[in-house]
Amino acid sequence: MGLLLVLRPPQPRPKSLRRATRAQRRERRHADAEEWMTAQRRGWVLDVEVEELLPLVDSAGSSTLPVLGQLDPWSDTVLDRRDLPQLEAEVERLEAAVGDDAQRELVAAIRKLLMCWHVEPDLMLHCYGD
């Protein structure tokens, strides 16, 4: 089970493609695939195993982490720029609770994703659960 963290531009409300032509559906899938490839190239995608993240969040005090403690691995969440300072503070608390190399790498990867967010302030952090 995983949690996918992706920096993306604000997304418009999805339009129903129920009455779309095949060409319109194909065009939309092509645009989505291109956006994901660009995000991966720029380092805006982080695939996190929940089995690695949850023990770390628990050891850092999940009830006192308003952002990371509330992420649900079975649903989606969108964080905007206003959540960034709180998220950075929570990552520092995670760093203090690191117990092994795998957790240290996870915290470093999350920190790298947040640094990318500083460079691209117009993006939002989308968290997609399984």
Side-chain angles (χ1 to χ4, degrees):
M1 180 174 306
L3 187 64
L4 190 63
L5 305 176
V6 183
L7 290 173
R8 299 180 76 185
Q11 301 295 301
R13 290 189 77 140
K15 293 181 182 177
S16 172
L17 290 181
R18 188 173 46 169
R19 294 185 177 198
T21 64
R22 281 183 287 168
Q24 288 170 324
R25 290 175 194 264
R26 190 172 39 250
E27 182 179 315
R28 182 169 178 182
R29 282 193 304 270
H30 178 71
D32 287 346
E34 194 170 300
E35 179 186 346
W36 280 94
M37 287 176 21
T38 300
Q40 286 178 329
R41 249 191 337 268
R42 292 183 177 176
W44 295 352
V45 178
L46 178 60
D47 193 0
V48 177
E49 291 295 323
V50 173
E51 293 82 17
E52 293 177 20
L53 181 63
L54 288 182
L56 182 58
V57 170
D58 287 341
S59 65
S62 65
S63 61
T64 60
L65 300 175
V67 178
L68 290 174
Q70 303 306 315
L71 287 181
D72 185 1
W74 294 277
S75 65
D76 300 340
T77 304
V78 178
L79 303 173
D80 65 15
R81 191 79 175 158
R82 294 172 293 189
D83 298 312
L84 184 57
Q86 179 64 41
L87 193 54
E88 288 178 323
E90 292 181 21
V91 169
E92 289 199 17
R93 289 190 52 200
L94 287 181
E95 197 165 38
V98 164
D100 60 18
D101 289 338
Q103 290 179 343
R104 192 170 289 108
E105 289 176 17
L106 175 59
V107 170
I110 294 171
R111 191 174 294 282
K112 181 180 175 188
L113 185 66
L114 296 181
M115 293 309 260
C116 290
W117 200 3
H118 274 288
V119 174
E120 298 287 340
D122 296 334
L123 301 177
M124 299 178 86
L125 182 62
H126 292 253
C127 308
Y128 299 107
D130 279 344

